[in-house]
Amino acid sequence: MKNSEKAASRANITDIAKLANVSTATVDRVLNHRSGVREATVQRVLRAAAELAYLPENDLYAALTPSAMRISFVLPKGTNRFIRMLGDTITYSQDSWTPYNVKCKVDYVEGFNPEVLAASLTKQAERADGVACMAIEHPLVRDAIEELVDKGKHVITLITDISNTRRAAYIGLDNRAAGRTAAYLIARFIGARPAKVAMIAGSLSYRAHEEREMGFLYMFKELFPTVEVVGLREGLDSAEENYRLMRQLLEQSPDLAGIYNIGGASDGVAKALKEAGLAHKVVFIGHGLTPDTRALLIDGTMDAVITQNPQSSTMNCIRIFANLRDRRPVMSGIDPVQSQIIFRENLP
């Protein structure tokens, strides 16, 4: 008989309890995968069982490996191509998360609907250990996030934040600075002259879009007072709606000099500009480097795109969830999200 087999024949729960300095009841709970034992104690019991060769090597390895942390990303479905790229990045990057021992999935919900988003977040309490979401500023969503936190689930807001909640972190741009940047670019492209500019948002129920609007308006007020902001429309990240709204803006202000698309579906804005023969005359700034905005930069319809890296954003979320699980400082190892301004000449 091999030494390990002899040891296994001699070792019992009492031996493991003595070596691990715990009760036999605790050993029994650990070996039978019952709850109520701290993780550090579980690991101590399992190491004692390993030393005494109580468990077969494969069983011991499985027992020593903690269950993967389940992470849900709740994103709005629709025609916003940057959000779709973000979701695809999460889906196709599972191998990258292996060192963090997490399993990620994406749930798409109806965009701009707080009731649907709140209901989805509530369901995540049974499905996930951590939830990253694009939040909507609404009491129902706020209550759903608080309910998740009360149940011991970690919540991160992604791309757009929400006020007055116990969310663990926000990963995204400084959106007020993004709006100021868009205004600065438009003003510099237009030059020192009186002019009219306008905005199209996805929805101001997103705090990100509200903050971008605020930054945009105040930049003109502070530094470029001769530029008049003639209106704000909400296109719900729909190419068709953005096309209709852009046509309407051009009819109301034929001398429009600049347009800032705060949200997605820039192709709808571009279509209206091209049909009006203004594709290279109206300064056009938007968000999110995607295949369509890339093409619009190349053909000169768009002048600049303010964007962030979807891979970096998702990786930051994973690292934060791992920090929370392992009781490290929340932002340990996390680099702030950097905005990038992409022109035709510096396309990556």
Side-chain angles (χ1 to χ4, degrees), residues 8-309:
S9 66
R10 292 195 302 269
N12 54 40
I13 287 179
T14 301
D15 298 323
I16 297 170
K18 182 177 180 180
L19 182 60
N21 194 28
V22 297
S23 68
T24 55
T26 297
V27 174
D28 180 71
R29 284 199 296 273
V30 171
L31 296 181
N32 288 286
H33 306 286
R34 288 196 285 269
S35 60
V37 184
R38 292 187 305 167
E39 183 62 30
T41 303
V42 170
Q43 297 299 313
R44 193 163 72 245
V45 169
L46 292 173
R47 290 192 185 95
E51 188 173 334
L52 294 170
Y54 182 84
L55 292 173
E57 185 175 345
N58 289 343
D59 291 350
L60 179 64
Y61 179 80
L64 283 168
T65 303
S67 299
M69 187 179 190
R70 301 167 301 162
I71 298 173
S72 288
F73 287 81
V74 181
L75 303 176
K77 63 183 177 182
T79 60
N80 188 315
R81 289 181 176 86
F82 185 81
I83 300 304
R84 178 59 64 176
M85 283 176 56
L86 184 66
D88 290 344
T89 296
I90 296 161
T91 301
Y92 299 140
S93 300
Q94 295 297 331
D95 290 345
S96 302
W97 317 140
T98 300
Y100 298 93
N101 194 27
V102 298
K103 288 185 177 180
C104 302
K105 67 183 185 70
V106 182
D107 283 342
Y108 290 101
V109 300
E110 182 183 344
F112 314 111
N113 189 321
E115 291 84 2
V116 172
L117 176 58
S120 178
L121 291 174
T122 298
K123 291 178 182 177
Q124 301 304 326
E126 306 302 324
R127 302 173 180 174
D129 305 303
V131 179
C133 68
M134 281 186 60
I136 295 174
E137 279 285 1
H138 193 279
L140 286 174
V141 177
R142 206 170 286 117
D143 287 350
I145 290 174
E146 291 300 284
E147 183 180 345
L148 282 171
V149 175
D150 286 339
K151 292 181 178 179
K153 311 298 180 178
H154 303 301
V155 179
I156 294 174
T157 51
L158 180 64
I159 307 297
T160 182
D161 203 3
I162 188 170
S163 59
N164 301 319
T165 66
R166 289 173 292 162
R167 56 98 171 120
Y170 161 64
I171 295 296
L173 298 178
D174 177 337
N175 286 295
R176 182 159 180 164
R180 290 175 64 87
T181 299
Y184 184 82
L185 289 171
I186 288 177
R188 297 297 291 177
F189 273 115
I190 290 173
R193 63 181 175 88
K196 294 179 181 179
V197 302
M199 295 175 283
I200 295 178
S203 171
L204 295 183
S205 60
Y206 282 141
R207 180 172 166 182
H209 291 196
E210 182 182 15
E211 290 174 345
R212 290 172 189 176
E213 178 206 9
M214 188 184 305
F216 189 79
L217 292 173
Y218 272 87
M219 174 57 76
F220 286 119
K221 182 178 180 180
E222 292 171 15
L223 297 182
F224 307 101
T226 61
V227 176
E228 179 187 359
V229 181
V230 296
L232 169 67
R233 307 290 190 274
E234 291 182 276
L236 302 179
D237 284 351
S238 163
E240 292 78 9
E241 185 65 7
N242 279 2
Y243 167 76
R244 187 188 69 80
L245 292 173
M246 192 67 228
R247 287 286 300 266
Q248 185 181 88
L249 284 167
L250 292 173
E251 289 172 4
Q252 293 173 351
S253 302
D255 56 343
L256 194 72
I259 181 70
Y260 174 35
N261 184 27
I262 294 174
S266 286
D267 51 339
V269 176
K271 180 182 177 182
L273 289 174
K274 289 178 178 179
E275 286 186 358
L278 298 172
H280 301 98
K281 297 179 181 179
V282 174
V283 179
F284 180 12
I285 309 294
H287 276 268
L289 185 62
T290 60
D292 64 313
T293 56
R294 182 185 182 90
L296 293 172
L297 285 171
I298 291 172
D299 73 16
T301 304
M302 292 190 77
D303 296 282
V305 169
I306 301 169
T307 194
Q308 56 189 298
N309 187 297

